[in-house]
Amino acid sequence: SEAKGNLKALYVAEESHRAEFDTYEKDQAKVGFAPRAATVRYTYEVVSTSKTAFKARATGTGEMKGDVWEISEKNDLVNVSDVCAPKK
């Protein structure tokens, strides 16, 4: 999915930045991240950073509204809110 792939790319960008500057960065442009997809259906933000940790979030827009994914410095990718899950 778009969100998973882009968050993994953002994780790699953050780790590269930390290796060079010894800290994570909230500004996506400074770490060299830009979302890749023919049609971008999520917004991406780094919601918190420190010298040792970061959390980034992908929030669905349009038809994906309500779908939320997060990733951390531990490379843990979590679907916080899944609009694609089958309804019971």
Side-chain angles (χ1 to χ4, degrees):
S1 101
E2 173 196 330
K4 293 189 283 187
N6 278 321
L7 284 176
K8 289 290 187 174
L10 182 51
Y11 165 82
V12 171
E14 285 286 356
E15 287 301 320
S16 296
H17 185 275
R18 183 171 182 252
E20 186 171 349
F21 298 101
D22 199 31
T23 190
Y24 292 106
E25 172 61 51
K26 211 164 188 181
D27 186 338
Q28 296 172 37
K30 286 185 180 178
V31 299
F33 171 77
R36 296 179 151 240
T39 302
V40 179
R41 299 180 298 170
Y42 291 81
T43 58
Y44 299 90
E45 65 178 321
V46 179
V47 294
S48 64
T49 60
S50 70
K51 288 183 91 43
T52 60
F54 85 93
K55 182 188 289 186
R57 180 177 298 137
T59 304
T61 61
E63 66 187 24
M64 298 308 294
K65 186 174 183 173
D67 200 39
V68 179
W69 291 82
E70 291 182 345
I71 197 165
S72 71
E73 77 287 346
K74 295 177 182 167
N75 198 16
D76 293 332
L77 184 63
V78 177
N79 191 197
V80 177
S81 174
D82 188 357
V83 299
C84 299
K87 306 293 184 227
K88 293 183 181 182

